[in-house]
Amino acid sequence: MSMRNQWPSRRVHSVDALKPADNFTPPPTTTLPDDTRLPDVETRYGQTEWSRKKGPDGKNLSPIDSANFFALFVFSWISPLIELGNKQPLQQSDLPAIGKRDEAAGLCRDLERQWVGQLKKKEPSLVHACFNVVGKSFLFHYSVSYGINLVAAFIQPLFIGQMIGYFTGDVSRTDAYLYTTGFICLSILRAFVYHFCYFTGARELGMQLRVGLSALIHKKVLRLSQSAILKITTGHIINLVSTDVQRLDEASSWFGSIIFSGVGVIVSILLVWREIGASCLAGFGLVVPLLVFQMISLRIISRIRDKTARETDKRVRLMNEVITGMQLIKMY
């Protein structure tokens, strides 16, 4: 018998060897419920207390909505999730619901209402629509954070000067202790309040604008007619959501600097004038040409970015046409 005729019997024999015996009884399968997984963690921060906590309307509650002021101030409301992730890999069911103020439906509804109001004007402005939605909170957080930051930044050097005066005999020991205490308190206040208002104000409001505008673009695309859809490409819509809207989220951190930088320059000039007189104008005179050069450079960069954005749209449109043509050729 040749080797070719022996292979089928060997294959059948190998398969028969893998079959279980006639008297084999498989063990019963047992599944553990979710609430038995790491009971020490689940008892304190489990799904019943963390991610599945229901409100009066039957919807999941977010821990940030039910957190008190101290928990929001020190960000301790997220500590249960961090501790749970330290004990075990996080699952989808472990994540809590998002806050009501961060929901895409509510942000999209507010932006759409403001944008409809802008369309009734001769020159509608998306900036004004966004400002009407988050402008008040934005100004409050930036006023508090940058206000305290400016006050602490200009008062602390004065305290340091008085502390140095203690070693020269110009300041008494009691006053030196007071200046030192004030310096430490301002440092703590500057760290807590500035970072709290920065992260919960600037970054969160920028994220809300990004989410709201993305949802508004999605809602607009669903309402487009067939003729309007043919005029735009998928890449153009993706470019709007991934690039243009993302810039608002990134730029939200620098809006406060634009508003309060002028105040900081004026206060700096007054303080330096108090110490050395009119000689301070020589130093600030060197800064003016740099500011002019920076403004010119930013304008050039802005033009280059606009040109790059237009070329990117053309490239995306061209690639979409090429891919569509290849699909048609492959189809037929």
Side-chain angles (χ1 to χ4, degrees):
M1 184 181 295
S2 62
M3 295 296 295
R4 182 177 300 177
N5 295 331
Q6 292 179 2
W7 279 110
S9 61
R10 289 185 179 182
R11 288 200 297 268
V12 173
H13 178 73
S14 61
V15 173
D16 294 338
L18 296 176
K19 292 182 179 180
D22 296 336
N23 58 353
F24 174 76
T25 302
T29 58
T30 59
T31 58
L32 296 177
D34 293 339
D35 54 358
T36 60
R37 184 167 49 93
L38 290 178
D40 56 332
V41 179
E42 292 292 336
T43 303
R44 296 177 57 192
Y45 310 119
Q47 296 175 354
T48 57
E49 298 183 6
W50 172 254
S51 60
R52 293 185 179 180
K53 189 176 181 181
K54 302 292 184 179
D57 54 355
K59 297 182 179 180
N60 292 338
L61 287 178
S62 174
I64 195 172
D65 292 334
S66 58
N68 53 29
F69 177 77
F70 180 78
L72 293 174
F73 190 76
V74 298
F75 301 97
S76 63
W77 58 270
I78 203 173
S79 298
L81 182 62
I82 297 176
E83 184 173 349
L84 182 62
N86 187 35
K87 297 295 182 63
Q88 64 187 25
L90 293 176
Q91 300 180 5
Q92 183 66 29
S93 58
D94 298 326
L95 301 179
I98 62 175
K100 294 182 179 180
R101 58 186 178 183
D102 299 331
E103 292 181 351
L107 295 172
C108 179
R109 182 174 57 254
D110 296 338
L111 277 174
E112 185 178 14
R113 187 186 304 112
Q114 295 296 332
W115 179 242
V116 170
Q118 289 292 325
L119 291 177
K120 299 178 182 179
K121 301 180 181 180
K122 294 182 180 180
E123 296 181 358
S125 175
L126 181 61
V127 177
H128 292 168
C130 295
F131 183 81
N132 293 333
V133 175
V134 300
K136 295 181 180 180
S137 300
F138 184 83
L139 290 178
F140 171 76
H141 286 89
Y142 261 120
S143 299
V144 174
S145 61
Y146 275 86
I148 294 178
N149 187 46
L150 286 176
V151 171
F154 292 124
I155 293 180
Q156 282 182 327
L158 300 179
F159 284 174
I160 293 176
Q162 297 298 326
M163 292 162 56
I164 295 176
Y166 166 74
F167 297 99
T168 59
D170 298 333
V171 179
S172 63
R173 176 176 296 184
T174 303
D175 293 338
Y177 284 144
L178 293 177
Y179 289 128
T180 305
T181 305
F183 180 84
I184 295 174
C185 293
L186 283 177
S187 300
I188 297 174
L189 183 65
R190 184 180 181 182
F192 276 93
V193 177
Y194 175 74
H195 289 89
F196 170 75
C197 294
Y198 176 79
F199 285 106
T200 61
R203 300 297 298 178
E204 186 176 359
L205 291 175
M207 180 268 296
Q208 291 176 357
L209 282 179
R210 175 173 55 84
V211 172
L213 290 174
S214 300
L216 194 60
I217 293 173
H218 178 264
K219 189 174 183 179
K220 179 64 177 179
V221 171
L222 295 179
R223 294 180 178 180
L224 290 177
S225 61
Q226 188 65 27
S227 59
I229 292 177
L230 296 176
K231 298 180 181 179
I232 60 176
T233 61
T234 305
H236 179 66
I237 298 174
I238 295 175
N239 189 31
L240 286 176
V241 176
S242 61
T243 304
D244 298 341
V245 176
Q246 185 68 25
R247 294 287 174 83
L248 289 176
D249 192 2
E250 297 174 356
S252 62
S253 304
W254 308 104
F255 286 153
S257 300
I258 299 174
I259 298 174
F260 292 95
S261 59
V263 179
V265 171
I266 294 174
V267 176
S268 299
I269 294 176
L270 294 177
L271 290 177
V272 179
W273 185 290
R274 176 176 174 269
E275 297 295 332
I276 62 176
S279 301
C280 67
L281 298 179
F284 286 102
L286 296 176
V287 179
V288 175
L290 295 177
L291 293 177
V292 175
F293 175 75
Q294 188 175 11
M295 293 176 62
I296 297 174
S297 302
L298 291 176
R299 182 170 296 181
I300 296 174
I301 293 174
S302 177
R303 293 176 181 176
I304 295 175
R305 285 186 175 180
D306 292 339
K307 186 177 180 179
T308 303
R310 289 193 296 267
E311 295 297 329
T312 302
D313 294 339
K314 292 180 182 179
R315 177 179 58 82
V316 171
R317 189 179 298 107
L318 179 61
M319 291 301 299
N320 186 71
E321 294 176 357
V322 171
I323 294 174
T324 303
M326 293 173 62
Q327 291 175 348
L328 291 175
I329 294 173
K330 187 176 181 180
M331 181 181 301
Y332 294 102

